[in-house]
Amino acid sequence: MKIDAMDTQSSRRQATRTKLYEAAVTLIAEQGFSATTVDEIAERAGVAKGTVYYNFKSKTELFEELLRHGVGLLTESLRAAADETAARGGTRVQALDAMIRAGLVFIDRYPAFTQLYVAELWRTNRAWQSTLLVVRQEAVAVVETVLREGVAAGELSDEIDIPLTAAALVGMVLVAALDWQAFQRERSIDDVHSALSRLLHGRVSGR
């Protein structure tokens, strides 16, 4: 019974944190970090101001954890796409292609977070910069693993620069998806995926 109660409490706290993340990411995307107040985050999330401080020491900590949470979701999406492809007996290039689609699906679902994430990558004076670099590397490392496996299996050229190629693939998806969201909304996700897939097969898998 105690375990059930603890699980319930943990689930409730996670649900509250998720509401706060969603409120914060929307507000910060609309008006910037400095202009967004804790009062506004609490109001948007439908909770008391004290609830924000119960879960996070400050607005800065909330945003840092928001970045960690969001990039963690992206990383898990990429990893799941690679694992599912491997389970079906697919190649590493097919896994990379599945990861591109997973990234597009994630960005389509969380466009405001993606905009914030990309913007923050270019800033160097933020308290959360070191955390952001760590979680970014975790996402890129998932792609690096698949690239290394592809080289070892002879599916990919052993001349590719794995760290740079992994970063380029992640960056390609992020930038292309944001351009799609902002300027080419008439395109379907299948259209965007198809275009990026052709780039993948022409540049990474080409021998």
Side-chain angles (χ1 to χ4, degrees), residues 74 77-78 81 94-108 173 180 188-194 196-197 200:
L74 173 60
S77 296
L78 298 177
Q94 289 173 331
L96 292 169
D97 194 50
M99 293 165 86
I100 287 175
R101 186 173 186 88
L104 291 173
V105 169
F106 174 88
I107 294 164
D108 190 40
V173 173
W180 164 45
S188 69
I189 192 170
D190 291 333
D191 287 340
V192 180
H193 177 217
S194 178
L196 297 186
S197 181
L200 168 70

Side-chain angles (χ1 to χ4, degrees), residues 3 12 14 25-26 41 57 59 62 66 76 85 90 95 137 148 155 171 177 194 197 205-206:
I3 293 177
R12 286 176 179 169
Q14 186 55 51
V25 75
T26 303
I41 293 171
K57 294 178 182 178
K59 185 178 69 169
L62 167 57
L66 164 64
E76 286 307 310
T85 303
Q137 184 52 40
R148 287 194 180 91
E155 296 175 20
S194 178
S197 181
S205 61

Side-chain angles (χ1 to χ4, degrees), residues 3-42:
I3 293 177
D4 290 340
M6 290 176 62
D7 289 343
T8 300
Q9 184 178 16
S10 177
S11 296
R12 286 176 179 169
R13 186 175 189 191
Q14 186 55 51
T16 299
R17 281 178 165 242
T18 298
K19 287 198 296 183
L20 291 170
Y21 290 146
E22 291 171 352
V25 75
T26 303
L27 286 165
I28 294 170
E30 290 174 356
Q31 56 195 34
F33 177 80
S34 297
T36 300
T37 67
V38 171
D39 284 336
E40 289 173 322
I41 293 171

Side-chain angles (χ1 to χ4, degrees), residues 57-69:
K57 294 178 182 178
S58 64
K59 185 178 69 169
T60 296
E61 182 181 275
L62 167 57
F63 190 58
E64 183 173 349
E65 289 303 312
L66 164 64
L67 291 170
R68 191 189 300 275
H69 173 73

Side-chain angles (χ1 to χ4, degrees), residues 77-87 91 95-96 98-99 102 142 146 149:
S77 296
L78 298 177
R79 185 177 291 114
D83 290 345
E84 288 166 9
T85 303
T91 66
L96 292 169
M99 293 165 86
V142 177
V146 175
E149 291 173 350

Side-chain angles (χ1 to χ4, degrees), residues 26-203:
T26 303
L27 286 165
I28 294 170
E30 290 174 356
Q31 56 195 34
F33 177 80
S34 297
T36 300
T37 67
V38 171
D39 284 336
E40 289 173 322
I41 293 171
E43 181 179 357
R44 182 70 65 95
V47 302
K49 181 178 179 179
T51 301
V52 180
Y53 288 115
Y54 175 76
N55 285 273
F56 305 100
K57 294 178 182 178
S58 64
K59 185 178 69 169
T60 296
E61 182 181 275
L62 167 57
F63 190 58
E64 183 173 349
E65 289 303 312
L66 164 64
L67 291 170
R68 191 189 300 275
H69 173 73
V71 180
L73 291 177
L74 173 60
T75 301
E76 286 307 310
S77 296
L78 298 177
R79 185 177 291 114
D83 290 345
E84 288 166 9
T85 303
R88 294 194 304 268
T91 66
R92 275 69 175 193
V93 174
Q94 289 173 331
L96 292 169
D97 194 50
M99 293 165 86
I100 287 175
R101 186 173 186 88
L104 291 173
V105 169
F106 174 88
I107 294 164
D108 190 40
R109 184 175 180 184
Y110 304 107
F113 171 78
T114 306
Q115 291 168 12
L116 285 178
Y117 169 64
V118 172
E120 290 303 321
L121 281 175
W122 293 100
R123 295 193 174 101
T124 58
N125 61 340
R126 299 294 206 185
W128 49 78
Q129 184 67 20
S130 60
T131 295
L132 186 58
L133 293 177
V134 169
V135 295
R136 171 209 167 272
Q137 184 52 40
E138 289 173 356
V140 172
V142 177
V143 183
E144 288 182 2
T145 296
V146 175
L147 288 171
R148 287 194 180 91
E149 291 173 350
V151 171
E155 296 175 20
L156 303 175
S157 169
D158 58 8
E159 295 181 356
I160 64 172
D161 184 317
I162 290 175
L164 188 57
T165 301
L169 285 172
V170 173
M172 175 183 73
V173 173
L174 288 171
V175 174
L178 287 177
D179 187 86
W180 164 45
Q181 292 280 331
F183 305 114
Q184 304 184 59
R185 286 302 296 165
E186 73 280 3
R187 289 180 177 269
S188 69
I189 192 170
D190 291 333
D191 287 340
V192 180
H193 177 217
S194 178
L196 297 186
S197 181
R198 283 193 290 272
L199 282 174
L200 168 70
H201 285 80
R203 298 300 182 185

